[in-house]
């Protein structure tokens, strides 16, 4: 076994804890609990097709148990695991309207915001989906956390990450000491370090955007996309399009291979003037990761995603994220 394959998530988390004198181990405990939830979700995702076929109606599986929709299952799994882990004081989920309290007597000093199964419209067609999480420190008084604890800007995150359920299950996270990726070995049920200290390439040849919305786009988006599609061999254009429609999958590919992902403002729906993606559950955690990996995350009017003060748990935000030089180049179109 190579040395790298010996490093489990627990070992990496403990090593990183040692870099912070005075750390109590609570953040490590929180991450370890989340990792258990991720393993449970991963097992269920792998069974999804089977459960559906065997369950027929979608209501019962072969053992006669209720088959829950995977996004509902993932939400319930994370909630149940974390509400009594003792490390957090309040949660918010992309799937729920309000804050989620933890059990009395189990209040800890962190908050957790999560998207239990991002890209869930891809479940039935075997496309990669994922769980995204974001952790802040509690700022309010009292034992139980409040909405104010969750409505903190991204630069105050103490940890962020995602688990992608793809050809293999991969966990990527940061606590501010680099970005590390771990691959789940299902035969032993353990995540092993597979991508230490990830750095996103500073320039890429891939772009990810829902190009079907061209006719809803504002001029800036249209001009930038036209630019990266123009033939210019010296600067590596045209770029290639890669769009899965599952942020975790699109982001993960761009993080490893380089790329720019855009979900800018458009004229598609009047109820989503800021685009579709959520600040707390999608944009801010991905922004922390990409920044730690040397990339950039901005809005389409040039604001740093990490510096946006959230005002609503489900606030949406335009997102342009990825390789540094690509995002900088995009800004020349978005800011003129
Ligand atoms: P679902 O969870 O409804 O599939 O939405 C996924 C998502 O929020 C994000 O993962 C994708 O990047 C984005 O939506 C895709 O949205 P479009 O279908 O509008 O391109």
């Amino acid at each position: 076994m190579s040395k790298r394959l010996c490093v489990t998530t627990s070992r990496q988390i403990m090593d990183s804890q040692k870099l912070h004198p005075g750390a109590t181990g609570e953040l490590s405990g929180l991450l370890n609990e989340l990792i258990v939830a991720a393993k449970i979700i991963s097992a269920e995702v792998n069974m999804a097709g089977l459960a559906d076929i065997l369950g027929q109606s979608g209501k019962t599986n072969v053992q006669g148990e209720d088959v829950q929709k995977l996004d509902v299952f993932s939400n319930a799994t994370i909630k149940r695991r974390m509400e009594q882990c003792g490390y957090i004081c309040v949660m918010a989920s992309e799937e729920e309207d309000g804050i989620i309290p933890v059990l009395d007597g189990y209040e800890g000093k962190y908050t957790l915001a999560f998207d239990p199964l991002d890209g869930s419209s891809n479940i039935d067609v075997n496309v990669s989906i994922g769980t995204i999480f974001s952790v802040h420190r509690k700022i309010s008084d009292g034992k139980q956390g409040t909405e104010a604890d969750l409505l903190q800007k991204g630069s105050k995150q103490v940890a962020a990450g995602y688990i992608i359920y793809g050809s293999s299950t991969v966990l990527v996270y940061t606590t501010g000491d680099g970005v590390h990726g771990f691959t789940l070995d299902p035969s032993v049920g353990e995540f092993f370090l597979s991508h230490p200290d990830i750095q996103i390439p500073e320039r890429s040849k891939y772009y990810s955007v829902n190009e079907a919305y061209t006719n809803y786009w504002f001029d800036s988006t249209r001009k930038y996309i036209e630019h990266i599609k123009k033939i210019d061999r010296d600067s590596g254009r045209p770029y290639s399009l890669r769009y899965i429609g599952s942020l975790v999958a699109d982001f993960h590919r761009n993080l490893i291979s380089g790329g720019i992902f855009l979900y800018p403002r458009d004229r598609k729906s009047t109820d989503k003037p800021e685009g579709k993606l959520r600040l707390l559950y999608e944009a801010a955690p991905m922004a922390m990761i990409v920044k730690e990996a040397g990339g950039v995350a901005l809005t389409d009017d040039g604001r740093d995603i990490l510096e946006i003060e959230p005002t609503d748990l489900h606030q949406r935000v335009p997102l342009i994220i990825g390789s540094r030089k690509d995002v900088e180049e995009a800004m020349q179109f978005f800011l003129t």
Side-chain angles (χ1 to χ4, degrees):
M1 197 185 245
S2 79
K3 191 167 169 225
R4 184 189 288 180
L5 279 177
C6 296
V7 180
T8 61
T9 41
S10 315
R11 170 131 150 237
Q12 177 77 22
I13 291 168
M14 293 305 288
D15 284 353
S16 130
Q17 192 189 319
K18 284 184 199 145
L19 296 174
H20 300 275
T24 58
E26 285 168 83
L27 183 59
S28 306
L30 188 167
L31 294 172
N32 280 323
E33 290 293 335
L34 257 181
I35 287 165
V36 176
K39 288 179 191 171
I40 296 169
I41 297 168
S42 176
E44 197 72 10
V45 168
N46 290 338
M47 289 292 290
L50 201 55
D52 232 26
I53 291 163
L54 300 177
Q56 293 297 333
S57 66
K59 295 230 166 69
T60 52
N61 65 16
V62 71
Q63 285 96 22
E65 299 158 342
D66 284 350
V67 176
Q68 283 180 306
K69 284 191 69 191
L70 262 183
D71 41 4
V72 177
F73 173 85
S74 307
N75 192 46
T77 302
I78 297 174
K79 262 170 62 178
R80 244 183 278 122
R81 186 115 221 124
M82 303 311 289
E83 70 186 358
Q84 50 187 311
C85 72
Y87 304 120
I88 54 176
C89 58
V90 67
M91 291 179 272
S93 163
E94 205 256 352
E95 291 281 325
E96 305 208 11
D97 285 343
I99 61 169
I100 306 167
V102 301
L103 298 189
D104 281 341
Y106 289 89
E107 301 90 349
K109 66 177 183 192
Y110 293 106
T111 72
L112 176 68
F114 60 96
D115 184 347
L117 213 53
D118 183 65
S120 49
S121 54
N122 288 313
I123 293 171
D124 293 343
V125 288
N126 250 21
V127 169
S128 300
I129 45 185
T131 299
I132 310 173
F133 63 90
S134 159
V135 179
H136 281 92
R137 213 169 261 115
K138 183 176 191 291
I139 49 169
S140 68
D141 297 329
K143 280 188 167 180
Q144 283 280 346
T146 64
E147 191 171 283
D149 292 309
L150 289 153
L151 295 178
Q152 297 187 61
K153 57 187 182 180
S155 59
K156 299 275 182 198
Q157 288 171 109
V158 293
Y162 59 85
I163 300 100
I164 178 167
Y165 312 106
S167 52
S168 45
T169 295
V170 173
L171 161 73
V172 173
Y173 82 93
T174 181
T175 53
D177 301 314
V179 179
H180 308 291
F182 297 80
T183 302
L184 180 65
D185 179 344
S187 64
V188 291
E190 191 62 84
F191 280 99
F192 291 101
L193 183 62
S194 50
H195 301 76
D197 202 10
I198 298 170
Q199 289 292 309
I200 184 169
E202 65 173 17
R203 164 77 79 180
S204 75
K205 53 180 193 267
Y206 295 116
Y207 71 105
S208 315
V209 68
N210 192 334
E211 199 138 10
Y213 300 159
T214 307
N215 293 319
Y216 295 120
W217 284 346
F218 292 102
D219 276 355
S220 43
T221 312
R222 195 171 306 124
K223 283 183 182 152
Y224 172 64
I225 299 298
E226 273 167 17
H227 167 74
I228 53 176
K229 292 200 302 192
K230 267 193 201 123
I231 299 171
D232 177 19
R233 292 190 205 289
D234 290 344
S235 59
R237 290 181 282 145
Y239 279 24
S240 288
L241 171 66
R242 296 282 185 277
Y243 192 72
I244 296 170
S246 175
L247 176 66
V248 177
D250 280 311
F251 179 86
H252 184 67
R253 185 204 48 249
N254 290 353
L255 183 69
I256 304 297
S257 307
I260 178 167
F261 174 97
L262 305 96
Y263 209 117
R265 255 174 272 237
D266 59 35
R267 299 189 190 87
K268 184 164 178 272
S269 22
T270 45
D271 62 327
K272 295 189 191 95
E274 301 285 294
K276 181 181 179 189
L277 301 183
R278 316 272 183 167
L279 176 58
L280 291 187
Y281 316 105
E282 297 175 307
M286 295 312 201
M288 180 179 184
I289 295 167
V290 89
K291 187 176 177 193
E292 271 294 310
V296 178
L298 300 173
T299 62
D300 57 6
D301 54 3
R303 284 170 295 148
D304 183 345
I305 292 285
L306 292 171
E307 292 307 322
I308 299 175
E309 295 274 4
T311 52
D312 186 286
L313 289 178
H314 294 283
Q315 175 171 347
R316 298 179 198 267
V317 69
L319 178 65
I320 300 182
I321 188 166
S323 294
R324 184 177 61 80
K325 286 192 173 165
D326 288 310
V327 176
E328 284 169 3
E329 186 178 60
M331 281 303 129
Q332 290 169 16
F333 293 81
F334 281 94
L335 298 182
T336 49

